[in-house]
Amino acid sequence: MKKIVILFSLIVSFSFAQPTVTVQDPTDVSSTSAKLKAKVNLPNGWTTFQGNVKVYIHLTNKSTNSTTEAYTKTYTSGNFGGEYSFSKTVTDLSKGTNYEYYATATEANWGTVYSTSETKAFTTPTDTLKVPSAYSTIQAGLNAATSGDVVLVSAGTYTENIIWPNVNGIKLMSAGDSSNTIIDGGGTSSVIYMNPSSATIDTTTLIQGFKITNGGNVAFGAGIFVKNSSPKFNKVKIANNSASEYGGGLYFESTASVIRNTSIDNNKASYGAGGIYMTKTLSNGKSPSSMIISNTIIKLNSGPTGGGLNVYQMSSLTLLSVEFIENDGGNTGGGMKSQDTKLIISDSKFVKNESGSGGGWHGYELKESIFTNCIFNGNSADNGGAIDCLSGNVKFINTRFINNEADTSGVRGMGGAIYHSSSTITIDSSIISSNQSKTGGGIYTGISGSSVISNSIISKNIAYELGAGIFFAPQGNVPNPITLTNVTISNNSAPDGNG
């Protein structure tokens, strides 16, 4: 009885010994090819009755999530009882792309899977095209580049007006930085013009480490013009460009671009948006645009509407740690103007900007917007020293309005910090202090405006006529609605109405 049990155990053990496969690290990896390597172990006693063994290598492009069988081979009974290496050199790979591969061993006729290996990953490198050692101009390097390539530019000044090729994923990078690698437009056109006729350009396209300057003699986007494209900008300085209409520094239309760690200063436009102008598409039917700007300084720009930035009819704009400093908005929006756009702004500063309405920010026809952890300091305007909101809903959370001023001696002068009408403003956990104006030293709430204020301080504001802390423009005999919860109103000063 004991011998029978042992013999049965041996038969079971033998019958379940199956082929196994493993994969090894690839070799000879280039931008377009790689050698994929694997091994198969065929146990002793495997017979043709159990079936010949076919092995596969499966290659997956992680960008497209598509898998192909890159290699197939069949082992017969003459191979049983050994371990065999097999490999395949695959071509037509994409540059700068992540791949994975694994192997399987199957029954040759019926496809029963005996073994599946672990997965190995690799990334194909990109080509680096060097300017000026290999290509005399940046334009020549870009024209020679394909998707995923890096065009690496040595420090120096390059007088060019670049037209971006119809290729996605090119990375234009300085070997230095924006202090020593300069693209000068010569005052004749946009420094960089990007409006592809066929390619879809997304944020895998990068421009990094340049000073973009002296663009001019164009209506839109003297420094950089971007339409129907969504590149990424990093560590760029855009300075001293001038457009005859909109977007002295940058012009964006139909975009989901990203700007990071950038300086935009001393740019001008004759109609609006000296620094940046951005808008939805006008004619090609694409969805309204959205953008993200972070860790960026926008200063000393000028234009009649939106000195630093003007955004019009985009789905959303997100600003993270952006500083608007000493911009001149002429008529509206010294630091920034927005219309029919959702704003998500946090940890940002508006300092010493000026305009006719909304020294720091002018908002009109707002989609619901929010400012969090922001500072408005030292801005000035005829109305709304810090902000001027004419319609829509906006929230300010943990935001400080300090030392802003609306015309204290002229015929306007409404809202030292805040002027709003036909809008609802919600203020929470904020400080409105040391602002001044002719009427409404802290806040001026105009016709059809309402305010919801909680957990905040309104103090040390000055009005030279009426309403030092808060002024409400009457609607007949009914004042505009206001809700105050846990609000301290103190030490404000006016000839009539210190609260």
Side-chain angles (χ1 to χ4, degrees):
M1 185 68 175
K2 199 170 189 179
K3 290 182 180 180
I4 294 173
V5 170
I6 293 171
L7 180 60
F8 178 74
S9 298
L10 289 171
I11 293 171
V12 170
S13 177
F14 171 79
S15 65
F16 278 87
Q18 294 183 339
T20 57
V21 285
T22 57
V23 289
Q24 301 165 284
D25 290 330
T27 58
D28 304 327
V29 178
S30 73
S31 60
T32 58
S33 64
K35 187 176 184 179
L36 311 182
K37 303 169 71 175
K39 290 183 178 181
V40 60
N41 183 280
L42 302 170
N44 283 314
W46 195 263
T47 68
T48 53
F49 174 78
Q50 291 162 302
N52 295 328
V53 176
K54 184 179 286 187
V55 293
Y56 299 89
I57 291 179
H58 307 265
L59 177 66
T60 300
N61 181 325
K62 296 300 289 181
S63 296
T64 62
N65 206 30
S66 59
T67 300
T68 58
E69 292 178 358
Y71 185 70
T72 305
K73 184 172 182 178
T74 301
Y75 292 91
T76 62
S77 57
N79 303 112
F80 298 151
E83 184 177 62
Y84 300 91
S85 297
F86 56 100
S87 64
K88 174 65 176 179
T89 298
V90 291
T91 58
D92 296 325
L93 302 181
S94 299
K95 298 176 185 178
T97 301
N98 296 322
Y99 288 90
E100 290 181 351
Y101 70 98
Y102 64 95
T104 56
T106 69
E107 195 279 323
N109 295 316
W110 302 103
T112 303
V113 177
Y114 296 131
S115 174
T116 299
S117 74
E118 75 279 22
T119 298
K120 290 287 184 180
F122 67 96
T123 301
T124 52
T126 58
D127 289 337
T128 299
L129 290 68
K130 295 185 177 181
V131 178
S133 59
Y135 298 88
S136 60
T137 65
I138 297 172
Q139 186 72 68
L142 290 169
N143 290 347
T146 59
S147 183
D149 286 345
V150 174
V151 178
L152 186 64
V153 181
S154 295
T157 299
Y158 301 81
T159 301
E160 299 190 42
N161 302 103
I162 293 166
I163 299 176
W164 202 268
N166 281 290
V167 179
N168 186 38
I170 298 174
K171 294 170 175 57
L172 176 61
M173 302 177 70
S174 164
D177 56 40
S178 62
S179 71
N180 55 30
T181 312
I182 301 164
I183 309 177
D184 187 323
T188 60
S189 188
S190 299
V191 182
I192 298 176
Y193 180 90
M194 186 181 296
N195 185 15
S197 59
S198 55
T200 299
I201 293 180
D202 59 27
T203 52
T204 61
T205 296
L206 172 68
I207 297 173
Q208 176 173 298
F210 294 92
K211 180 180 180 180
I212 307 297
T213 191
N214 200 20
N217 197 35
V218 292
F220 307 103
I224 296 174
F225 179 98
V226 175
K227 183 176 180 179
N228 300 326
S229 308
S230 299
K232 181 186 294 182
F233 298 89
N234 187 42
K235 298 180 179 178
V236 177
K237 181 179 178 69
I238 301 161
N240 299 303
N241 303 281
S242 181
S244 63
E245 294 192 25
Y246 295 94
L250 302 100
Y251 176 93
F252 292 95
E253 182 180 330
S254 185
T255 187
S257 294
V258 174
I259 299 174
R260 293 176 177 165
N261 309 308
T262 287
S263 173
I264 301 163
D265 61 81
N266 282 290
N267 302 284
K268 298 179 180 179
S270 297
Y271 284 0
I276 311 173
Y277 183 84
M278 54 187 71
T279 183
K280 70 171 186 178
T281 182
L282 299 180
S283 59
N284 67 1
K286 292 186 178 180
S287 298
S289 309
S290 62
M291 278 188 63
I292 299 173
I293 304 175
S294 64
N295 300 306
T296 289
I297 297 175
I298 302 172
K299 65 179 181 179
L300 296 170
N301 302 283
S302 62
T305 56
L309 185 153
N310 187 328
V311 53
Y312 174 67
Q313 289 189 338
M314 291 179 67
S315 57
S316 68
L317 172 64
T318 299
L319 304 180
L320 307 171
S321 299
V322 176
E323 297 183 21
F324 294 85
I325 302 173
E326 295 186 63
N327 300 284
D328 185 347
N331 297 322
T332 55
M336 173 182 171
K337 176 184 177 180
S338 64
Q339 181 175 349
D340 195 16
T341 300
K342 179 178 181 179
L343 303 177
I344 304 166
I345 301 178
S346 64
D347 302 293
S348 295
K349 297 179 180 180
F350 297 76
V351 179
K352 295 183 179 181
N353 304 282
E354 62 179 39
S355 72
S357 296
W361 166 65
H362 171 86
Y364 179 61
E365 295 180 340
L366 286 178
K367 297 176 182 175
E368 188 163 331
S369 298
I370 185 168
F371 292 71
T372 306
N373 302 325
C374 292
I375 296 173
F376 291 82
N377 186 6
N379 303 283
S380 61
D382 291 341
N383 288 333
I387 72 162
D388 173 29
C389 181
L390 297 186
S391 60
N393 299 324
V394 61
K395 295 180 181 179
F396 296 94
I397 299 174
N398 194 32
T399 292
R400 289 182 286 167
F401 299 87
I402 309 293
N403 293 319
N404 302 284
E405 179 179 326
D407 186 7
T408 57
S409 59
V411 296
R412 303 180 76 184
M414 296 180 285
I418 298 170
Y419 173 89
H420 74 108
S421 64
S422 301
S423 59
T424 298
I425 286 185
T426 301
I427 300 171
D428 183 50
S429 304
S430 296
I431 297 173
I432 301 169
S433 180
S434 302
N435 306 282
Q436 57 181 318
S437 69
K438 184 177 179 182
T439 306
I443 301 172
Y444 185 107
T445 300
I447 301 299
S448 301
S450 63
S451 302
V452 179
I453 306 173
S454 59
N455 307 307
S456 296
I457 296 172
I458 302 172
S459 68
K460 301 179 182 179
N461 301 286
I462 299 172
Y464 290 90
E465 288 191 359
L466 301 171
I470 305 172
F471 178 85
F472 303 95
Q475 301 182 61
N477 295 320
V478 181
N480 290 335
I482 180 170
T483 302
L484 300 177
T485 304
N486 192 30
V487 176
T488 299
I489 302 175
S490 64
N491 299 314
N492 301 286
S493 174
D496 188 357
N498 291 330

